[in-house]
Amino acid sequence: MSNGVSGVSRRSLVKGLSTGAIAAMAGCSGDSGGSAGNNSGGSGGGDANVNFTIASTFEPEHVLVKAAKNFKKKIESESDGDVSVEISAGGSYGSEDEIGELVNQGGVEAHAAGSFPYFQYAPAYWFFGCPFVISDYDQLLSVLDSDKMQDAHDALKKKGNQRPIGQQIYRGNRNFTSNKPIKGPKDVKGLNLRLPELDPWVTIWKGVGASPTPIALDELYSALETGTADASEGGASQISSFNLNEVQSHLSLTQHLVANGNMYMNEQFFKGLDQTYRDMILELGGKATEEASKTAMDREEELIDELKSNGMTVVKDVDHEAFRSAAEPAVNRLFKNTWEFDWKTIQNL
């Protein structure tokens, strides 16, 4: 799954890092008076320099990478240059799961990723990253900010050795592309639907009636062009960047999943920083992620209009409740067998 040789070699390198080595890298000197940090970070007094990298498997123009760039600009300005951030996008450190492990091990200090870190390190709470469970972005934030989800955030810190440094960023609703209008569950029955290799997604879409076909994202266009897959689902940015309007005639606004993501920082690195820097990271991370969400919402409408201009028929009269009802048995089974809580509890948060 690697997207770059350096990602694999870097991951192999940090396999042998001890906790002490990671703490040293993070600038955890244990000196209450503080001291200047090295190139990987620092703790202590106001004149200590802090340097860290935010890696991402996503391309430089992706909303999550843009959020990281905005955060870099803000914190370097606010700190008068005492904090320096390097952005390494495009998969130079590997795929999402590889970068997540690198951050866990301390091989890189932070990353810009989707909700995948929760899938890696708190999978019992990853229901918020699955189709039909969450209705909209406001509910997503309510769920993630609730007391019931504190165990999820704690698990991310304990098992994944990382924390979010902003709110979950809105990346757009995931919708349905096909060569016919999709208005309800009966319209997806038997369709070979391209999905990523995520078991809960496959389970839910099977429950709705589709015939999921797990296919790598870089094979998406050719799969639709050759008929290996009949349909796909994804955000407007994905549909646009892959030029799916050339191989699919309809974009149906099923809005079955709110795609999201964040910036995540190695917990030991974070704790090793001076309190001033920790406060700055959290405050400016919050501002950068809020601004990224607003930008993504505005851009989403523009992209849908562009896809329409490029020949796609946009189907708006989708029966969202019928889709949720069709997904309900599969979602409830996942809550019973795999996830914490139950769907009713989540809907009421």
Side-chain angles (χ1 to χ4, degrees), residues 28 163 266-274 278:
C28 301
R163 64 161 59 215
N266 176 280
E267 180 70 357
Q268 286 176 280
F269 174 83
F270 179 81
K271 285 185 174 180
L273 297 175
D274 207 48
R278 294 201 297 268

Short mmCIF file of all heavy atoms in Angstrom, two decimals, residues 28 163 266-274 278:
data_model
loop_
_atom_site.label_atom_id
_atom_site.label_comp_id
_atom_site.label_asym_id
_atom_site.label_seq_id
_atom_site.Cartn_x
_atom_site.Cartn_y
_atom_site.Cartn_z
N CYS A 28 11.96 15.93 25.18
CA CYS A 28 11.53 15.76 26.57
C CYS A 28 12.77 15.66 27.45
O CYS A 28 13.16 14.56 27.87
CB CYS A 28 10.67 14.50 26.71
SG CYS A 28 9.20 14.54 25.69
N ARG A 163 -2.64 12.66 18.93
CA ARG A 163 -3.85 13.40 19.26
C ARG A 163 -4.24 14.32 18.11
O ARG A 163 -3.37 14.81 17.37
CB ARG A 163 -3.63 14.25 20.50
CG ARG A 163 -2.58 15.35 20.31
CD ARG A 163 -2.69 16.43 21.35
NE ARG A 163 -2.54 15.92 22.70
CZ ARG A 163 -3.22 16.40 23.74
NH1 ARG A 163 -4.07 17.41 23.57
NH2 ARG A 163 -3.04 15.91 24.95
N ASN A 266 2.08 13.44 17.29
CA ASN A 266 2.64 12.47 18.23
C ASN A 266 2.47 12.98 19.65
O ASN A 266 2.88 14.10 19.98
CB ASN A 266 4.12 12.24 17.89
CG ASN A 266 4.80 11.31 18.87
OD1 ASN A 266 5.19 11.73 19.96
ND2 ASN A 266 4.96 10.06 18.49
N GLU A 267 1.86 12.18 20.52
CA GLU A 267 1.51 12.62 21.87
C GLU A 267 2.75 12.89 22.72
O GLU A 267 2.79 13.86 23.49
CB GLU A 267 0.62 11.57 22.54
CG GLU A 267 0.18 11.90 23.96
CD GLU A 267 -0.81 13.06 24.03
OE1 GLU A 267 -1.15 13.66 22.99
OE2 GLU A 267 -1.25 13.36 25.16
N GLN A 268 3.77 12.06 22.61
CA GLN A 268 4.98 12.30 23.40
C GLN A 268 5.70 13.57 22.95
O GLN A 268 6.23 14.31 23.77
CB GLN A 268 5.91 11.08 23.32
CG GLN A 268 5.41 9.90 24.14
CD GLN A 268 6.29 8.68 23.96
OE1 GLN A 268 6.18 7.97 22.98
NE2 GLN A 268 7.17 8.46 24.90
N PHE A 269 5.72 13.78 21.65
CA PHE A 269 6.30 15.03 21.15
C PHE A 269 5.54 16.23 21.71
O PHE A 269 6.13 17.19 22.20
CB PHE A 269 6.27 15.04 19.62
CG PHE A 269 6.72 16.33 19.00
CD1 PHE A 269 8.07 16.60 18.83
CD2 PHE A 269 5.80 17.28 18.60
CE1 PHE A 269 8.49 17.80 18.28
CE2 PHE A 269 6.20 18.48 18.04
CZ PHE A 269 7.55 18.74 17.88
N PHE A 270 4.21 16.15 21.64
CA PHE A 270 3.37 17.24 22.12
C PHE A 270 3.61 17.52 23.61
O PHE A 270 3.79 18.67 24.01
CB PHE A 270 1.90 16.90 21.87
CG PHE A 270 0.92 17.94 22.35
CD1 PHE A 270 0.66 19.07 21.58
CD2 PHE A 270 0.25 17.80 23.55
CE1 PHE A 270 -0.24 20.04 22.01
CE2 PHE A 270 -0.65 18.75 23.99
CZ PHE A 270 -0.89 19.88 23.23
N LYS A 271 3.61 16.47 24.41
CA LYS A 271 3.79 16.63 25.85
C LYS A 271 5.19 17.14 26.19
O LYS A 271 5.40 17.74 27.25
CB LYS A 271 3.52 15.31 26.57
CG LYS A 271 2.05 14.95 26.67
CD LYS A 271 1.86 13.70 27.51
CE LYS A 271 0.38 13.43 27.75
NZ LYS A 271 0.19 12.20 28.56
N GLY A 272 6.16 16.89 25.30
CA GLY A 272 7.51 17.35 25.57
C GLY A 272 7.73 18.83 25.29
O GLY A 272 8.79 19.36 25.58
N LEU A 273 6.73 19.49 24.72
CA LEU A 273 6.85 20.90 24.39
C LEU A 273 6.50 21.78 25.59
O LEU A 273 5.76 21.39 26.49
CB LEU A 273 5.93 21.25 23.22
CG LEU A 273 6.22 20.55 21.89
CD1 LEU A 273 5.14 20.91 20.87
CD2 LEU A 273 7.60 20.90 21.36
N ASP A 274 7.03 22.99 25.56
CA ASP A 274 6.69 23.99 26.55
C ASP A 274 5.19 24.26 26.49
O ASP A 274 4.57 24.17 25.42
CB ASP A 274 7.45 25.28 26.21
CG ASP A 274 7.70 26.14 27.43
OD1 ASP A 274 8.15 25.62 28.44
OD2 ASP A 274 7.44 27.36 27.33
N ARG A 278 2.34 24.26 23.41
CA ARG A 278 1.18 23.36 23.39
C ARG A 278 -0.11 24.16 23.22
O ARG A 278 -0.97 23.80 22.43
CB ARG A 278 1.13 22.52 24.68
CG ARG A 278 2.29 21.55 24.82
CD ARG A 278 1.97 20.42 25.77
NE ARG A 278 1.72 20.85 27.14
CZ ARG A 278 2.64 20.94 28.10
NH1 ARG A 278 3.91 20.66 27.82
NH2 ARG A 278 2.33 21.32 29.32
#
